[in-house]
Amino acid sequence: MFGKIIWTTDFSENAEASLAYAEEIASRFDADLILVHVLLDIPLFYSSFLGDSSAYLEALEKAREEASGELESIARNLRNKGIAARIMLLEGSPYSEIISFAENQGADLIVMSTRGPKGLERIIIGSTAEKVVRNAPCPVLTVHEKPALPLKIANILLLTDLSEPSKKAFPPALELAGAFGAKITLLHIMETSVPLGKEDEKALSDALLRVMDGLLADTVGEEFRRSIEKVIVKGADAAGGIARFCEENPVDLIVMATHGRSGLRKTLLGSVAEKVLRSLEVPVLTVKVRL
């Protein structure tokens, strides 16, 4: 499934956090790994205000050479480890260039870091990462902090709101679980603040578990299905319930679809997906559902 992977970098320390994931996934799937940097150049119109345009063009060419050199250094190191790595230097708006390149290449996965100081909610609204997650033609893995090495993905948390579109996230979760030998927990947050009696709550939970079984039966083989733990957690809001589950249980990766439960197209703004991306330290693989 992950035959062609794009890793994006701006050469910052934050960007390095996601490289280990791109490298490990590429290695386990024997995938091509494309290292991408987008050079945010100054349009020639603006350069006319700088006086000597030749000086600007020289600076731009120098920036190209330096960026290509840094990319090639990373690629060389990956090739020495047996990974088919190549580089691509793009110019323009980072978000639009990454999306266009992924579409043209038929990429199966984009791996990128998000920004923000540890311990604070990451404001990704309007950022490159948030725009890529919203519009990418393939799954996007966002990483917040550099992992301990060797990289371990032993516990995958697969989220569902029990809708049919949420099944879109199941195949990549299964692929990664198989490659890493990871356990999958399928989690649904039962969003309600209405107090229920024990019998009513159990009856509702049992009914929801049957729905989860039905979703799995459509996409997962019986043997693998038996190994997936199904969990229902009651909470006033989904994002808070997910955060609590991650605090109380080992989670190495979250996999989720981005869509609206009503079946209507819904942006990430204010959605569960955006809140999860903002607030949790755990890497998140988002799969866009086209409705």
Side-chain angles (χ1 to χ4, degrees):
M1 180 174 187
F2 298 113
K4 185 176 290 186
I5 299 170
I6 292 174
W7 173 66
T8 68
T9 179
D10 60 3
F11 304 121
S12 67
E13 188 174 340
N14 288 322
E16 291 181 11
S18 59
L19 179 57
Y21 287 90
E23 177 183 336
E24 191 64 30
I25 294 172
S27 176
R28 290 179 185 252
F29 285 89
D30 194 24
D32 293 332
L33 179 55
I34 309 173
L35 315 181
V36 173
H37 174 71
V38 182
L39 197 62
L40 187 61
D41 63 338
I42 303 175
L44 286 174
F45 170 75
Y46 295 138
S47 70
S48 64
F49 294 100
L50 299 178
D52 185 1
S53 61
S54 64
Y56 160 73
L57 294 174
E58 288 176 8
L60 180 58
E61 185 58 33
K62 182 180 179 181
R64 288 173 180 148
E65 292 175 0
E66 290 178 350
S68 294
E70 289 196 56
L71 284 175
E72 186 55 41
S73 176
I74 299 170
R76 191 180 308 115
N77 182 51
L78 291 169
R79 292 187 202 113
N80 290 338
K81 298 177 182 179
I83 295 172
R86 60 186 174 93
I87 70 171
M88 178 56 62
L89 182 63
L90 304 172
E91 296 181 25
S93 165
Y95 142 69
S96 60
E97 292 298 325
I98 291 168
I99 294 296
S100 295
F101 184 71
E103 289 174 343
N104 293 336
Q105 290 292 313
D108 300 306
L109 177 67
I110 298 172
V111 182
M112 62 193 311
S113 297
T114 58
R115 296 175 178 273
K118 185 176 180 180
L120 297 178
E121 185 177 57
R122 292 171 183 80
I123 302 176
I124 62 171
I125 298 174
S127 72
T128 298
E130 187 267 347
K131 290 178 180 177
V132 170
V133 166
R134 281 190 184 184
N135 298 284
C138 60
V140 180
L141 175 59
T142 50
V143 180
H144 308 311
E145 60 179 16
K146 200 168 184 176
L149 298 178
L151 180 66
K152 179 188 74 169
I153 299 180
N155 296 281
I156 295 175
L157 182 62
L158 177 58
L159 306 179
T160 179
D161 63 2
L162 305 183
S163 68
E164 284 292 314
S166 72
K167 294 191 300 186
K168 184 81 171 179
F170 289 13
L174 294 170
E175 290 279 345
L176 288 168
F180 284 87
K183 171 192 172 184
I184 293 180
T185 299
L186 182 63
L187 175 67
H188 173 69
I189 305 299
M190 185 168 61
E191 293 181 84
T192 177
S193 57
V194 178
L196 298 173
K198 280 188 176 181
E199 290 187 5
D200 288 339
E201 187 167 325
K202 184 179 185 307
L204 179 56
S205 293
D206 289 344
L208 296 178
L209 286 171
R210 288 193 292 272
V211 175
M212 294 169 82
D213 279 329
L215 293 174
L216 288 171
D218 293 339
T219 53
V220 184
E222 184 177 353
E223 184 176 349
F224 205 158
R225 192 162 69 243
R226 287 198 297 266
S227 69
I228 296 175
E229 181 181 6
K230 300 180 294 295
V231 177
I232 293 176
V233 174
K234 183 180 176 182
D237 70 282
I242 294 164
R244 285 192 298 276
F245 185 89
C246 291
E247 289 173 359
E248 297 169 0
N249 299 273
V251 177
D252 302 308
L253 175 67
I254 295 172
V255 181
M256 65 188 304
T258 60
H259 65 89
R261 280 176 305 195
S262 64
L264 300 176
R265 185 176 299 277
K266 183 178 181 181
T267 67
L268 279 176
L269 187 62
S271 73
V272 174
E274 187 202 38
K275 291 176 182 177
V276 169
L277 285 169
R278 281 184 174 191
S279 60
L280 297 183
E281 299 294 335
V282 182
V284 180
L285 180 71
T286 50
V287 183
K288 183 182 175 184
V289 176
R290 299 183 183 277
L291 301 173

